[in-house]
Amino acid sequence: MSIRPVIETRTARPTLEGAGVKLHRAFGFQDPSELDPFLLFDDFRNERPEDYMRGFPWHPHRGIETITYVLAGTVEHGDSLGNTGRLGSGDVQWMTAGSGIMHQEMPQGNAKGQMHGFQLWANLPSHLKMTTPRYQDVKGADISEIVDDDGTRVRVIVGEFWGKKGPVDGIAAEPQYLDIFVPAGVKKTFKIDTYRRAFAYVFEGSGRFADASRPTGVLLEKEVMGQEVHMRDLSGDRTLIRFGTGEEVTVQAGDEGIRFLLISGAPIEEPVAWHGPIVMNTKAELMQAMADLRNGTFIRPA
């Protein structure tokens, strides 16, 4: 088996989104080929209601799918098709925007005022850009959690893993989306399809990921600067790890254990024309979407 090399790490950057929600963005609005089929990943985590209560008022989407995963607090949502609902702790929503949808997402904290969740954008291939919009809302209780003998816990949100299948299906990118906790001091290996792009996002604890540039068991981050290769231990919160090709990812948990998302998907490898929440294949299609917004034809009849 081949270990996927760590080709880049970065810390999610603070940014403002929606009506003034403070969040951290791990990637997005840069090179869409970098993690194709994924376009954007946000970590919205706050303990001050004033940092998130203004939420994400009505806005459009076309040509993408979004997955929202809530860990603490709730998110109330509504859309132009008349759908409404609330995501609570542990719940997941996958929205296929397809031909176009207007929606809003309004976060509310828990009893302690805490709010924490993630949103991932996945691209749609050209033949599905104008597909009929749909939602998949999944309660946390319906998501399989696997507990291994060493205490490792894996929630299978999308895809198949260790004999369990996630409840979200029919996603164009055919992703695997796992929420993983590895206990303190435990070393664990996770297999990933060789042909998928993959990244991990560390949001609790710390640890080290094996790098294929060193022998198995030497767990280091590789950072290329000019012609020099520098090595240093990897640890820390809100850290994105981007992997190269290979068949597995190995992690060594730190003193407090490590919790991270491990996400992979098959690249689409098509041209991307992107403006805000609308992602098409050509500039002409993007301009048509803008014209549809102006003339009131953005929402197509079912």
Side-chain angles (χ1 to χ4, degrees):
M1 301 293 286
S2 59
I3 297 174
R4 283 180 174 249
V6 176
I7 60 176
E8 182 189 12
T9 68
R10 69 179 75 149
T11 302
R13 296 182 177 181
T15 189
L16 287 177
E17 200 53 87
V21 176
K22 293 183 179 180
L23 52 81
H24 284 73
R25 179 159 292 156
F27 63 88
F29 297 105
Q30 294 172 327
D31 180 1
S33 67
E34 180 180 82
L35 282 164
D36 179 19
F38 307 114
L39 298 164
L40 175 146
F41 182 85
D42 284 344
D43 178 347
F44 51 99
R45 181 190 330 179
N46 286 293
E47 296 187 355
R48 297 173 2 123
E50 57 267 34
D51 290 341
Y52 60 78
M53 289 295 289
R54 289 186 291 275
F56 308 91
W58 293 99
H59 59 281
H61 282 291
R62 177 179 283 182
I64 64 171
E65 300 184 278
T66 67
I67 183 169
T68 304
Y69 179 29
V70 177
L71 295 184
T74 62
V75 176
E76 293 189 354
H77 66 90
D79 69 25
S80 52
L81 304 177
N83 298 306
T84 60
R86 172 182 290 190
L87 299 177
S89 178
D91 296 348
V92 173
Q93 179 192 84
W94 197 293
M95 182 191 75
T96 303
S99 61
I101 201 166
M102 299 287 294
H103 79 153
Q104 64 172 352
E105 299 160 299
M106 306 304 289
Q108 297 183 358
N110 59 19
K112 296 181 180 179
Q114 299 166 325
M115 182 70 227
H116 190 193
F118 306 105
Q119 187 166 92
L120 174 70
W121 291 11
N123 200 6
L124 281 169
S126 56
H127 70 282
L128 293 175
K129 286 290 187 187
M130 299 300 286
T131 193
T132 302
R134 69 166 181 153
Y135 281 92
Q136 294 183 68
D137 285 341
V138 178
K139 293 298 182 183
D142 296 327
I143 297 174
S144 296
E145 181 171 284
I146 308 163
V147 182
D148 209 358
D149 293 341
D150 58 13
T152 298
R153 299 196 307 268
V154 181
R155 297 191 83 210
V156 185
I157 295 169
V158 186
E160 295 187 26
F161 188 74
W162 286 353
K164 298 289 186 179
K165 186 173 182 179
V168 181
D169 61 10
I171 306 306
E174 298 182 353
Q176 184 183 64
Y177 190 129
L178 309 174
D179 177 352
I180 298 173
F181 171 75
V182 180
V186 172
K187 179 182 174 183
K188 204 73 176 176
T189 295
F190 305 94
K191 293 182 180 180
I192 300 177
D193 188 297
T194 306
Y195 300 102
R196 293 169 173 263
R197 299 269 169 79
F199 70 92
Y201 183 75
V202 179
F203 62 96
E204 288 181 12
S206 63
R208 301 169 182 168
F209 285 82
D211 193 303
S213 63
R214 290 293 184 98
T216 301
V218 180
L219 306 174
L220 297 168
E221 172 204 0
K222 182 173 73 175
E223 182 176 82
V224 179
M225 300 178 63
Q227 297 301 311
E228 289 188 86
V229 177
H230 299 273
M231 299 287 182
R232 67 173 186 265
D233 289 344
L234 170 64
S235 64
D237 188 15
R238 291 193 176 105
T239 302
L240 176 80
I241 302 101
R242 189 159 63 95
F243 300 105
T245 58
E247 299 170 295
E248 62 186 30
V249 167
T250 297
V251 62
Q252 173 79 54
D255 293 340
E256 299 176 357
I258 186 170
R259 189 176 178 188
F260 60 98
L261 304 178
L262 183 59
I263 299 173
S264 62
I268 295 173
E269 298 180 336
E270 291 181 350
V272 173
W274 187 356
H275 180 75
I278 299 173
V279 184
M280 305 303 290
N281 291 108
T282 67
K283 186 176 180 180
E285 291 170 339
L286 198 58
M287 293 178 68
Q288 182 61 56
M290 299 302 161
D292 290 345
L293 279 170
R294 289 192 299 270
N295 63 27
T297 59
F298 187 79
I299 306 301
R300 304 296 175 93

